[in-house]
Amino acid sequence: MLYGKPMKRGSDIARSGARKYRVYTRKDIGLIPQLRNLSVTDRIAMEAVAAVLPFRVNNYVVEDLIDWSKIPEDPIYQLTFPQPGMLSPRDLARMYRLVRRGASQEAIKAAGCSIQYAMNPHPAGQRDLNVPVFDDEPIPGMQHKYRETVLIFPAAGQTCHAYCTYCFRWAQFVGVDDLKFASREADKWVRYLKEHREVMSVLFTGGDPAIMKSSVLRRYIEPLLDPALSHITSIRIGTKAPAYWPYRFVTDDDADDLLSLFEEVRGAGRHLALMAHYSHPRELETPIAELAVRRIRSTGAAVRCQAPLVRHVNDSADSWAQLWRRQVRLGAIPYYMFVERDTGPRDYFSVPLARALRIFNDAYRQVSGLGRTVRGPSMSATPGKVLVDGIATVGGQKVFVLKFLQARNPEWVGKPFFAKFDEMATWLDELKPASGAQEFFYRPELREIAVARRAGQEGRETAPA
Ligand SMILES: *Cc1c(COP(=O)(O)O)cnc(C)c1O
Ligand code: SF4
């Protein structure tokens, strides 16, 4: 009988493809050779937008992912490079004037910050409602919104190999310090998790935790493998590194160390899942991107894929169908299609729910059952993850059929509820109950949860030391 030879880690193809990471930020826009043909006006406009929204790309994104003969429409260019339409005309004009007249960095930064604050940097009650409390102290760098799953934001993982222009985490990258979730307190997390036996899954997120050196990531992950935390059955890493810098898993100095860490998780009897953010099939087209997925999977880790549906980047059924087919071919698992959140440059990116549903269904029909593991379009909103499951006619009225995939109260999960159909609505808060009721069924309880949380926090702040 033939058993396949185990995959050799340091394969020759991999080694010969090593690549030095080079990053470009706002001050380097002029150094990107592919942008030399941009008019001065366009360059200034780009710098103006980049002073408000996070901008960072690297040589792989610039050289291998963007098709420069197709800009500005190229989807990866739209995904990573600031576009004038991402700011309101008024904000754009204000920033443009500052950059053009060579205003000081402080003046540019201050103007940028004031525009950021007006862009809802922490949507869905992230700051107030999700930070857990232990020994009467909030635990920074941790969020516990859904019973089974805890999110951890390691302090050293609050950046990415490149930034997505649509990112809802952008407030963390642009120097708005008091908005930053971060923590160096791994032992606090472990103490919390020891007392919370209902938690099954820990999800490291950021930024991008895969930006950290393997040795640093190890310091966060290894404590979770303690037998005293046997209720933690899975560890997830939310990352866009397989798309933006696949060398992280193949040829970077500590790539093999990272894969060994993944194997250790399996060795400790837990499951490791890379929650890989792929926005466009192009990101899975290069040989290095394919190799990254193969190497991750060779450790026993799963690659589950998710991304938001974003206008200008991936708002076509064919893009998604191709993306899911490529994922299935590589043994990766399509997981979520998100609706773009109510933050940042959302007017530029948002897709109405009705259109999102059409795109989802058109793509879903084009893949086999192995690709239909994907769920969407899904909104990560204050009460939970709300799936737009379909459009139906109930009592002669056209409605959206909605359903919680995750909820602050687990009782809400799985119950269908109906909203009046609205061709233009782009988010949950624009929908009205189909029944004519004032509000959706979960609202009164959600208010109670919010009041209780805020009272708890105020109580702490005013209590004598
Ligand atoms: C999506 C999400 C999770 C994970 O949910 P799953 O359905 O288990 O993938 C956990 N916490 C928060 C806050 C989330 O938004
Ligand atoms: S990789 Fe993730 S965290 Fe980083 S910019 Fe993109 S969406 Fe945001």
Side-chain angles (χ1 to χ4, degrees):
M1 192 183 232
L2 265 181
Y3 296 95
K5 265 208 284 183
M7 189 167 185
K8 273 221 320 251
R9 282 288 161 68
S11 73
D12 292 343
I13 325 169
R15 288 298 155 206
S16 65
R19 187 161 185 175
K20 203 164 162 350
Y21 178 66
R22 160 132 206 222
V23 66
Y24 299 96
T25 61
R26 177 168 67 93
K27 57 185 192 326
D28 316 311
I29 282 176
L31 300 178
I32 301 176
Q34 287 80 355
L35 285 178
R36 295 234 170 90
N37 292 333
L38 226 56
S39 70
V40 176
T41 318
D42 288 349
R43 243 255 320 282
I44 295 177
M46 187 173 276
E47 284 180 36
V49 182
V52 179
L53 301 172
F55 171 66
R56 180 183 169 103
V57 286
N58 64 58
N59 47 328
Y60 170 71
V61 171
V62 168
E63 291 160 25
D64 291 29
L65 294 187
I66 295 174
D67 178 351
W68 290 93
S69 71
K70 302 254 165 63
I71 67 157
E73 287 81 20
D74 179 80
I76 309 296
Y77 182 71
Q78 291 282 335
L79 172 65
T80 52
F81 278 79
Q83 307 297 326
M86 290 174 188
L87 296 188
S88 72
R90 201 167 133 255
D91 290 339
L92 179 63
R94 179 175 163 206
M95 295 309 299
Y96 186 94
R97 277 194 303 273
L98 284 172
V99 174
R100 193 188 48 193
R101 71 158 202 259
S104 70
Q105 286 308 310
E106 293 79 62
I108 291 175
K109 200 171 161 200
C113 275
S114 71
I115 298 173
Q116 286 156 18
Y117 271 103
M119 290 173 102
N120 193 20
H122 281 291
Q126 285 194 81
R127 301 186 75 194
D128 291 348
L129 298 182
N130 301 338
V131 177
V133 173
F134 188 78
D135 282 351
D136 281 343
E137 300 259 339
I139 308 182
M142 195 177 211
Q143 282 187 32
H144 193 180
K145 179 171 176 179
Y146 306 130
R147 188 175 55 190
E148 308 78 22
T149 305
V150 154
L151 301 192
I152 289 182
F153 298 74
Q158 297 306 306
T159 187
C160 312
H161 291 93
Y163 293 153
C164 312
T165 40
Y166 57 65
C167 180
F168 72 90
R169 305 237 163 94
W170 52 278
Q172 296 169 60
F173 307 144
V174 282
V176 190
D177 279 342
D178 68 330
L179 294 181
K180 196 157 155 177
F181 295 107
S183 174
R184 292 172 182 81
E185 298 176 288
D187 50 305
K188 255 197 179 169
W189 302 334
V190 168
R191 278 166 57 214
Y192 179 86
L193 290 169
K194 280 189 176 150
E195 301 224 330
H196 287 265
R197 314 286 303 178
E198 76 279 15
V199 177
M200 299 166 202
S201 191
V202 172
L203 169 49
F204 286 93
T205 181
D208 189 337
I211 197 90
M212 292 186 277
K213 285 281 167 212
S214 307
S215 55
V216 179
L217 189 57
R218 180 182 294 278
R219 262 182 258 144
Y220 288 114
I221 289 185
E222 276 182 342
L224 301 180
L225 306 181
D226 185 335
L229 293 175
S230 60
H231 55 295
I232 308 294
T233 56
S234 64
I235 295 173
R236 307 187 229 180
I237 301 174
T239 176
K240 200 165 171 58
Y244 279 162
W245 189 253
Y247 303 91
R248 179 73 190 87
F249 306 93
V250 185
T251 57
D252 278 5
D253 285 346
D254 59 346
D256 287 356
D257 191 26
L258 184 62
L259 300 195
S260 303
L261 176 63
F262 293 176
E263 282 174 344
E264 258 173 63
V265 174
R266 181 173 62 174
R270 325 297 173 87
H271 176 62
L272 185 92
L274 243 72
M275 308 306 289
H277 175 181
Y278 290 110
S279 315
H280 191 274
R282 176 73 195 135
E283 295 167 327
L284 271 170
E285 207 172 75
T286 62
I288 189 74
E290 292 201 3
L291 196 50
V293 173
R294 287 190 205 291
R295 282 172 55 95
I296 295 163
R297 293 194 57 241
S298 77
T299 67
V303 178
R304 290 183 181 266
C305 308
Q306 53 190 29
L309 168 63
V310 176
R311 195 151 58 93
H312 303 288
V313 174
N314 58 16
D315 58 331
S316 88
D318 288 351
S319 282
W320 285 91
Q322 210 180 6
L323 182 64
W324 296 336
R325 280 196 299 257
R326 252 172 224 178
Q327 288 165 357
V328 169
R329 184 163 55 76
L330 294 170
I333 306 162
Y335 190 62
Y336 271 134
M337 175 206 268
F338 291 117
V339 177
E340 172 59 5
R341 295 183 79 143
D342 51 343
T343 177
R346 72 169 310 209
D347 291 342
Y348 188 80
F349 288 124
S350 69
V351 176
L353 298 172
R355 181 160 178 250
L357 183 63
R358 281 195 296 273
I359 290 172
F360 180 88
N361 283 334
D362 284 354
Y364 193 81
R365 290 184 192 112
Q366 294 182 48
V367 297
S368 80
L370 291 187
R372 292 185 190 173
T373 48
V374 69
R375 291 166 301 161
S378 165
M379 288 175 272
S380 261
T382 309
K385 280 197 174 62
V386 178
L387 176 74
V388 184
D389 210 9
I391 294 168
T393 306
V394 175
Q397 187 190 187
K398 194 173 179 187
V399 300
F400 282 119
V401 182
L402 307 174
K403 192 169 93 178
F404 279 105
L405 296 172
Q406 281 292 3
R408 270 176 207 282
N409 178 350
E411 297 291 313
W412 304 343
V413 173
K415 266 190 234 167
F417 61 108
F418 304 108
K420 287 190 174 124
F421 179 79
D422 179 342
E423 182 69 42
M424 297 315 292
T426 59
W427 196 252
L428 187 61
D429 59 5
E430 295 162 29
L431 297 178
K432 301 266 179 301
S435 63
Q438 280 293 314
E439 53 185 18
F440 289 116
F441 76 93
Y442 57 81
R443 290 290 303 180
E445 208 180 323
L446 184 61
R447 265 196 305 275
E448 277 170 33
I449 296 171
V451 167
R453 294 286 322 214
R454 294 209 174 96
Q457 280 163 12
E458 276 159 26
R460 233 180 8 261
E461 276 159 20
T462 52

